[in-house]
Amino acid sequence: MCREPAQEIRQKKDLLVVSHIDADGLTSAAIICTALERAGLNYRPIFFRQLDEPALDEISDYNPDLVIFTDLGSGMIQQICDRALAAVVVDHHKPASSQARPMAHINPHLVGADGALHLSGSGTSFLLARALAATSEGNDDLAALAVVGAVGDLQDMAHGQLTGINRHILEIGSKAGAVSFGRDIKLFGRQTRPVYKMLEYSQDPYLPGLSGNEDACIAFLREIGIRLGGERWRRWIDLSQDEKANLVSAIIRKGLRSGLAAAKLERLIGEVYVLLSEQEGTELRDASEYSTLLNATARYGHAQIGLSVCMGDRDRAFSEAQRLLSQHRQNLVNGLKLVAERGITCLQSIQYFDAGESIQDTIVGIVAGMSFQMADRSRPILAFARTEGEDLKVSARGTQDLVRSGLDLAEALSASARAVGGVGGGHNVAAGATIPAPAQQKFLELVDGAVGRQLGL
Ligand code: C5P
Ligand code: ZN
C-alpha cells in the first residue's frame, strides 16, 4: 500500500517530519527519519502535543516540499488539505470523516484494522520505511522501534501479547535479529530495577500485601529464599530460571490467598520484548522500559533527546534521558498521591478527577491510566489538567472489557469536545481532548451521556 508515497518521497528535497510527543510518536519519527537518512534525503523533525490549527500554522511557515505526519494527522485530514500542504499522513488514530485526500493517507482503520490494538503509529511508519528501503530487507531492523512504539501505546495489554499487523512486524524484527519475544513476568523494570523494587512498584496486577510496601517485598523475597543482592541489588534478569519460577509461583499463591481474582493474576505473565542490539541491564533492552524512557523526554519538551536516543545516541542524549526518567518517575508517584488525596468523583457512567495545575497536562493521561489501581474498573476515567493557556486538557482511559461492551472514548470525546468548542480524538480505549475551561461541567454531562449510550446503561 505504500509504493507510491515512497516514490513521491524520494523526489522531494525539503522534508518535514511532524510527530507526536509520546513514545509511539518518537519511535514513528525515528523510523521515518532513519529511513530518509538511509535513502540520502534531508529532513527536519518537529514535534507537537497535538495537531491543531496553531500547529498547522507553524508547519505551513516552514514552507516544506513535503510533510510526513506520523502518529498524528488522521483527525485533521481536511485542515491539512485545506492548506494545500503536500502531505503523507501515517497515523493510527481514528480518522475524521472527510472527502479530502492528501498525497497519501496510511492508517489501519482505512483497511478495517484496529488502530488501538493491531497497529501503532510506529508500526504504520515501519510499513512506509520498508517501502522506502533500497533493498528488500533494508529497514527490517527498524521493526524493533515499531515494537517499542506499540508497547508504549499499551497495544500488548489486551491479549498479553502483540496481535494483528503488530505481530507480523514483530516476526520481521525477530527474523532480522533485532528483537526477541517470549513469555515472562510482566512487571515493569525487569532490566533495571532491583527485584524487590519491581514488586513494590507493581501496578498491573496490583499485588495486595506487596505493591507499595518495600519492607513487605524484601521480607517476602527472603522468606522464599531469594537472595536480594551481594555487591549490588539483584534484578529480575540476574535471577536463575529456578528462582524466577519460584518467585512467580510464590506471588500467585500469595495473590490467591489474598483473594486476588485468577483473571487478574493471569496478567502477571505475558509476552515481553527484548531489543537484542541493546546492552543488557539498560532501559533500552526492554520495550516497555524503553517506551517509558522516551515518554520521560518528549512529554517534558525534550523530544529531540528521545529522538536522538532512538536514532542511536548512547552517549549524551541517553544520559540526559536517564536523568529525565528519574524525574518522570517522581512526577508519576506525586500524581498518583494527588489523585488519592483529592479522590475520584463518580457520575452515572464515567468517573473523573481534576488535577488543576498540580499535574502537567502532558502526563495526566498516564496518571489517569495508572489510577485504575484505585478506581472502579466498571467505568472509564477522565482526568482534567490546566494547560499553559486558558484551556483544559482532558485525558480519558478505559479498559478492554469496557471496549468489548461498546465503549468508544474517541467518539465520545471528539463529539462532546466539538459541542463545547474544543477538539478531541484518539482511540476507543484511550482518548484526549482540549476544551475551554468554563465548559467543564457541560462537557462532563455530554461525555457521561455518550458513554452511557455506548454501554447501554
Ligand atoms: O493526551 P492523551 O495521552 O490523553 O491522549 C490519548 C490518545 O488520544 C493519544 O493517542 C492521543 O494522540 C489521542 N488524542 C487525539 N486528539 C486529541 C487529544 C488526544 O487524537 N485532541
Ligand atoms: Zn500512537
Side-chain angles (χ1 to χ4, degrees):
M1 76 178 155
C2 321
R3 281 290 156 199
E4 288 160 38
Q7 273 158 18
E8 292 277 359
I9 290 167
R10 279 196 205 95
Q11 288 157 15
K12 304 288 178 188
K13 277 208 244 9
D14 221 352
L15 287 153
L16 203 57
V17 177
V18 176
S19 199
H20 188 218
I21 55 153
D22 68 0
D24 192 32
L26 277 181
T27 48
S28 300
I31 287 169
I32 294 299
C33 293
T34 306
L36 295 176
E37 211 160 273
R38 288 176 181 173
L41 293 162
N42 286 326
Y43 61 89
R44 183 202 300 254
I46 48 170
F47 294 88
F48 292 97
R49 55 177 62 197
Q50 68 180 30
L51 192 66
D52 48 19
E53 291 292 349
L56 284 173
D57 286 342
E58 201 179 321
I59 292 162
S60 303
D61 286 347
Y62 281 99
N63 211 5
D65 255 3
L66 176 72
V67 190
I68 305 179
F69 291 93
T70 63
D71 196 35
L72 39 67
S74 287
M76 296 287 280
I77 291 293
Q78 183 66 49
Q79 293 85 338
I80 290 168
C81 293
D82 286 349
R83 286 167 185 261
L85 282 167
V88 172
V89 177
V90 189
D91 193 4
H92 69 133
H93 293 99
K94 275 214 157 156
S97 66
S98 162
Q99 299 300 317
R101 294 274 171 275
M103 186 184 289
H105 185 188
I106 309 169
N107 185 313
H109 291 283
L110 300 176
V111 291
D114 181 352
L117 214 54
H118 296 145
L119 193 64
S120 60
S122 53
T124 319
S125 302
F126 174 73
L127 300 180
L128 178 58
R130 260 195 131 199
L132 270 167
T135 63
S136 64
E137 279 144 35
N139 286 328
D140 286 3
D141 58 325
L142 300 177
L145 284 175
V147 169
V148 173
V151 169
D153 269 5
L154 307 181
Q155 300 203 329
D156 60 329
M157 295 313 274
H159 302 291
Q161 62 178 40
L162 291 173
T163 54
I165 312 176
N166 277 329
R167 189 122 212 115
H168 293 295
I169 295 177
L170 176 64
E171 278 155 13
I172 293 168
S174 160
K175 225 166 126 194
V179 61
S180 73
F181 56 97
R183 285 173 73 73
D184 202 340
I185 199 162
K186 205 115 162 97
L187 297 181
F188 187 84
R190 287 176 297 273
Q191 291 287 332
T192 61
R193 280 186 177 163
V195 180
Y196 75 91
K197 282 278 167 208
M198 186 181 83
L199 293 181
E200 182 190 339
Y201 289 120
S202 56
Q203 284 147 8
D204 187 21
Y206 186 85
L207 304 171
L210 292 176
S211 301
N213 188 339
E214 182 183 279
D215 292 344
C217 293
I218 291 175
F220 175 69
L221 290 168
R222 290 214 169 108
E223 205 176 291
I224 60 172
I226 291 182
R227 203 165 42 80
L228 289 162
E231 267 173 35
R232 55 178 297 179
W233 294 112
R234 295 173 81 210
R235 303 154 299 186
W236 177 255
I237 52 165
D238 299 320
L239 303 191
S240 69
Q241 271 322 106
D242 281 351
E243 285 176 310
K244 287 180 181 172
N246 177 15
L247 178 50
V248 168
S249 10
I251 295 174
I252 292 174
R253 278 198 306 274
K254 187 174 172 60
L256 290 174
R257 271 203 308 274
S258 327
L260 201 64
K264 277 200 178 153
L265 275 168
E266 269 174 24
R267 299 170 71 85
L268 187 65
I269 300 294
E271 199 168 72
V272 307
Y273 307 100
V274 176
L275 279 82
L276 295 170
S277 59
E278 302 296 345
Q279 199 183 326
E280 226 178 306
T282 66
E283 292 83 2
L284 307 178
R285 181 84 175 175
D286 175 85
S288 175
E289 292 198 60
Y290 197 153
S291 72
T292 300
L293 181 87
L294 295 180
N295 276 325
T297 65
R299 290 186 184 264
Y300 298 89
H302 301 290
Q304 296 296 339
I305 292 175
L307 181 67
S308 299
V309 171
C310 290
M311 294 183 72
D313 185 326
R314 298 291 171 268
D315 197 13
R316 200 194 56 80
F318 181 43
S319 318
E320 187 56 18
Q322 285 178 309
R323 193 187 63 76
L324 290 166
L325 176 63
S326 60
Q327 188 59 54
H328 177 52
R329 280 203 187 123
Q330 195 53 53
N331 292 342
L332 295 181
V333 169
N334 294 345
L336 279 172
K337 267 193 203 143
L338 184 100
V339 179
E341 279 160 22
R342 292 209 180 159
I344 297 169
T345 309
C346 275
L347 301 180
Q348 200 85 29
S349 313
I350 60 172
Q351 54 193 332
Y352 74 95
F353 65 86
D354 188 342
E357 286 173 5
S358 305
I359 303 179
Q360 215 173 293
D361 62 340
T362 50
I363 63 158
V364 76
I366 302 179
V367 178
M370 292 168 85
S371 300
F372 268 124
Q373 65 181 255
M374 59 179 117
D376 171 6
R377 291 182 74 88
S378 72
R379 56 191 92 201
I381 189 161
L382 265 70
F384 293 91
R386 278 262 166 200
T387 63
E388 275 166 14
E390 280 304 291
D391 288 338
L392 273 182
K393 169 76 208 309
V394 193
S395 278
R397 297 293 184 270
T399 66
Q400 285 303 328
D401 282 341
L402 286 167
V403 168
R404 277 189 284 274
S405 306
L407 180 72
D408 187 344
L409 288 171
E411 204 64 53
L413 262 73
S414 74
S416 308
R418 208 176 319 120
V420 299
V423 284
H427 306 294
N428 49 20
V429 73
T434 307
I435 59 165
Q440 185 178 20
Q441 278 312 318
K442 178 77 196 153
F443 176 78
L444 275 168
E445 282 164 27
L446 289 169
V447 178
D448 197 30
V451 170
R453 285 191 294 280
Q454 289 172 356
L455 298 176
L457 298 176

